[in-house]
Amino acid sequence: MAACNHRLFWAGVIEGFYGAPWSMAERLEILDWMKAWGLNTYLYGPKDDLHHRTVWREPYAPDDAAELARLIAGCRGRGIEFLYAMGPGLDVRYSDPRELEALETRFAQLAELGCRNLCLLFDDIPDVLDPADLARWGSLAAAQCGLVNAVRDWMETHVPGGRLVFCPTPYCGRMAAAGHGGEGYLAAIGTGLHPDIDVFWTGPEIVSREITLGHVAELTALLRRPPLIWDNLHANDYDGRRFYCGPYSGRPPELRSKVRGILTNPNNEQPLNFVALRTLAAYVHAGDAWEPRAAYHAALAEWRPRFATRDREMDPADLVRLLDCYYLPHEEGPEAERLFADIRDLLARDPATWGAEASDARHRMCHLRDLCVRVAGIKDRPLFHAMGRRIWELREELDLLDRYVAWRQDPAKRGEPFRPDSHLLQVYRGGFVPRLQGLLEIRGDGAFVPAVGKGKGPS
Ligand code: GDL
C-alpha cells in the first residue's frame, strides 16, 4: 500500500452520507469486503445518526452503545482502524467551556467502547459566529482551532496514540474560493491547528471529477500538511434518482503519495457499493499505471454472480450494458453514452429518412429494457431492492422511446401525435418536485435560466 510518511495511509470507507444509516449487517459485510481487498479504515459518521450532529452532546443509550461496540470490535477483528465522527458545528458555542466537556464526555464513552480515533466535522454548517464566540475568538477558524486543539490535548492523556481528524467548514476548492468560513480561513487553520491533526478535503468540488497533483500541492502549502481525502465520487445522497457503479477514476496514482489517505463516502444503498470499494482498493494497491475501465471490468467479473436469477447467470456484456447507465456523476459509461447518442441523433432526423439504424436502436433499447425486467428476478433480493426503483424508471423510459420510434417508423401514423396509453399526463413524470425542476433550466455553461416565458415552462 502506498504510504506518504511514517503514518498509516488511511484507505477505506466513510459512512458519512445524509439518509438512513446502514444496518449493522450491512456494515459488517462492508468490513468483510474491506478486509478481503486491503482497505484499512472505516469512519462512522452518518449525518442522520442523531448523536452525530443533532444531539451530539448526548452519549448513546446502552443498547445503541452495545451496537457500536460490536462495530468497533468488528473493525478490530479484521485489522481495520475505526474512526468515530462528531459534527457539533450546527449549534456549538465555541466560547463556552461546557461544550468541550460535552465533547470529552462523548469521547470518553466511545473510548470505553474501544474507539481510539475521533473526527470533528464542521462541514455543512453556517459560517457565521455567535457574537460571544466572535468576541472570544475573533474568527471561525480560530474558534474551531481552539476547540479541536483542546480535544487533542484531552486525547493525549485519555486516549494516547489516538488520532484526530478535522473537517473544515470550506472543505473543497470552490467553497474556499467563494470565501466560505471568512477571509484567510484555510491559512488560519494551517497555522492554528496542531500539526498532528489531519484535515479532510473533498477536492476542487464537493463531488470532484478530478483531483490533480497541482490542486493538492497548493492546498498542502496552505494547510501545512497533506490533506486526507474525503471522496464523494460515488456519493448519491444528493440525488435519489441516481447511483454510481462506475470505477474509481480521475485521481492519478501519484496522488497516493501526496495525501494522508483516501476515504470514500459512497452510495447510500450499501449493496450498490461493490464496484466503488473494489476499484478504490485496486487503485490504492495498483502500481504506477491506473486503468479505471479495466478495473471496472475486473470488479464486475467478481460482482456478476450476485446478479444470477434462479435459472440463469447474468451475461458479462449485459452487466456492463446495465451498469454503464449508472456509472459516475460526471459521465455515463461508454455503452450508455453510445446508446444515448444514437437515439438522440435518430430523433433529430426526419423519420422518413430512417433506415436500418432505427430498427437497430429499437433492438438495443428493447434488449436493455428486457434486462431491467430480468434484474427484478435476481436471487440477491437486497441488491435488487437497492436498485429496483431506478431500474424500473430506466425500463419505463426505454419502453416509451421504443414505442415512439415504432410509431414514427409506421408510415400510416406519420404526422399523427404520439399519445401512448402507458404514459399519461400528470401521472407520468408528474409531482411537485419535477414541476419545480421545470421552472429553472440549467444551461450547458452551468447557468440557470427561467424556463417559463419561453413557452417551455410547466403549468
Ligand atoms: C457533503 C457532505 C457529505 C455528503 C456529501 C454528498 C462532506 C465533507 N460533507 O457535502 O456528508 O454525503 O456532501 O452529498 O462531503
Side-chain angles (χ1 to χ4, degrees):
M1 185 172 301
C4 66
N5 53 27
H6 58 284
R7 290 178 187 156
L8 179 72
F9 180 87
W10 273 335
V13 176
I14 305 175
E15 185 180 338
F17 42 76
Y18 293 88
W22 289 332
S23 70
M24 196 52 69
E26 288 177 328
R27 291 183 186 126
L28 295 177
E29 185 180 43
I30 292 263
L31 297 182
D32 285 339
W33 289 349
M34 290 174 60
K35 180 176 180 212
W37 302 336
L39 293 173
N40 61 23
T41 305
Y42 185 87
L43 162 51
Y44 179 91
K47 287 278 191 289
D48 292 317
D49 170 341
L50 291 177
H51 294 268
H52 166 60
R53 292 224 305 177
T54 315
V55 296
W56 62 268
R57 297 175 187 83
E58 284 177 29
Y60 284 106
D63 283 358
D64 293 338
E67 275 280 275
L68 201 59
R70 211 153 73 81
L71 177 61
I72 295 169
C75 285
R76 195 181 313 114
R78 292 169 180 82
I80 294 170
E81 275 300 307
F82 176 85
L83 286 83
Y84 183 95
M86 264 185 261
L90 287 174
D91 61 358
V92 69
R93 291 283 163 263
Y94 298 94
S95 52
D96 182 344
R98 284 171 303 182
E99 300 289 60
L100 176 61
E101 283 166 25
L103 282 174
E104 290 168 358
T105 307
R106 283 294 315 280
F107 198 17
Q109 181 192 37
L110 293 165
E112 249 174 59
L113 303 176
C115 171
R116 304 180 44 74
N117 308 301
L118 189 66
C119 304
L120 289 173
L121 309 184
F122 295 89
D123 57 325
D124 298 359
I125 58 165
D127 66 347
V128 196
L129 274 183
D130 171 82
D133 292 340
L134 191 62
R136 162 72 182 83
W137 291 105
S139 74
L140 184 67
Q144 291 176 346
C145 287
L147 184 66
V148 177
N149 287 339
V151 170
R152 186 202 160 272
D153 291 346
W154 181 88
M155 281 175 72
E156 221 171 16
T157 32
H158 294 85
V159 202
R163 311 271 326 144
L164 183 58
V165 186
F166 166 76
C167 180
T169 299
Y171 49 86
C172 69
R174 184 180 293 271
M175 287 180 179
H180 202 53
E183 216 192 311
Y185 174 95
L186 286 178
I189 294 293
T191 49
L193 202 65
H194 191 285
D196 270 2
I197 302 171
D198 285 322
V199 179
F200 272 126
W201 191 252
T202 64
E205 307 288 348
I206 299 175
V207 180
S208 297
R209 180 180 197 141
E210 292 186 333
I211 302 179
T212 63
L213 301 181
H215 173 78
V216 165
E218 254 180 57
L219 183 76
T220 301
L222 205 55
L223 290 177
R224 300 178 176 220
R225 73 207 78 201
L228 171 60
I229 299 297
W230 170 308
D231 209 322
N232 285 321
L233 185 65
H234 288 88
N236 71 338
D237 54 1
Y238 56 86
D239 189 340
R241 299 176 65 167
R242 305 179 72 185
F243 62 90
Y244 304 113
C245 290
Y248 192 71
S249 63
R251 287 86 175 121
E254 296 80 10
L255 183 73
R256 295 168 303 183
S257 60
K258 305 288 181 208
V259 296
R260 287 270 202 257
I262 302 176
L263 303 179
T264 188
N265 175 39
N267 293 289
N268 286 49
E269 297 82 2
Q270 182 269 8
L272 302 181
N273 286 317
F274 191 96
V275 177
L277 305 191
R278 187 68 193 92
T279 58
L280 171 65
Y283 166 87
V284 167
H285 294 285
D288 295 343
W290 175 242
E291 292 292 341
R293 190 68 181 169
Y296 174 69
H297 283 293
L300 289 193
E302 288 180 37
W303 201 19
R304 192 170 65 89
R306 297 243 183 166
F307 287 81
T309 60
R310 285 170 86 94
D311 52 5
R312 70 193 268 198
E313 298 222 314
M314 172 65 82
D315 177 74
D318 279 346
L319 191 56
V320 172
R321 265 181 208 112
L322 179 72
L323 294 180
D324 267 16
C325 304
Y326 300 95
Y327 204 65
L328 289 170
H330 310 89
E331 57 181 317
E332 267 67 67
E335 295 276 339
E337 213 43 85
R338 225 178 344 262
L339 180 61
F340 178 84
D342 290 349
I343 302 170
R344 183 197 53 203
D345 294 349
L346 193 67
L347 298 187
R349 283 171 37 211
D350 180 352
T353 67
W354 289 356
E357 75 286 5
S359 301
D360 175 61
R362 283 194 60 202
H363 173 76
R364 285 152 61 208
M365 286 192 270
C366 291
H367 184 79
L368 187 55
R369 183 198 60 199
D370 294 348
L371 204 52
C372 296
V373 175
R374 191 139 46 82
V375 167
I378 63 177
K379 283 186 286 181
D380 187 331
R381 302 316 285 162
L383 176 58
F384 167 63
H385 294 152
M387 61 171 74
R389 299 197 69 173
R390 272 77 59 95
I391 298 273
W392 184 263
E393 198 177 26
L394 174 61
R395 190 201 66 90
E396 225 21 69
E397 295 302 331
L398 291 165
D399 198 47
L400 178 67
L401 283 161
D402 174 53
R403 284 168 192 243
Y404 179 82
V405 175
W407 182 272
R408 288 278 171 259
Q409 272 181 320
D410 183 350
K413 307 268 174 47
R414 216 149 271 168
E416 271 187 55
F418 170 65
R419 267 193 214 97
D421 294 339
S422 50
H423 298 76
L424 300 180
L425 193 63
Q426 287 167 338
V427 176
Y428 172 71
R429 292 188 193 169
F432 192 55
V433 173
R435 288 179 69 204
L436 289 176
Q437 286 173 336
L439 292 175
L440 277 181
E441 259 180 15
I442 184 162
R443 289 193 321 215
D445 65 355
F448 281 89
V449 289
V452 277
K454 291 168 57 190
K456 289 166 102 188
S459 52

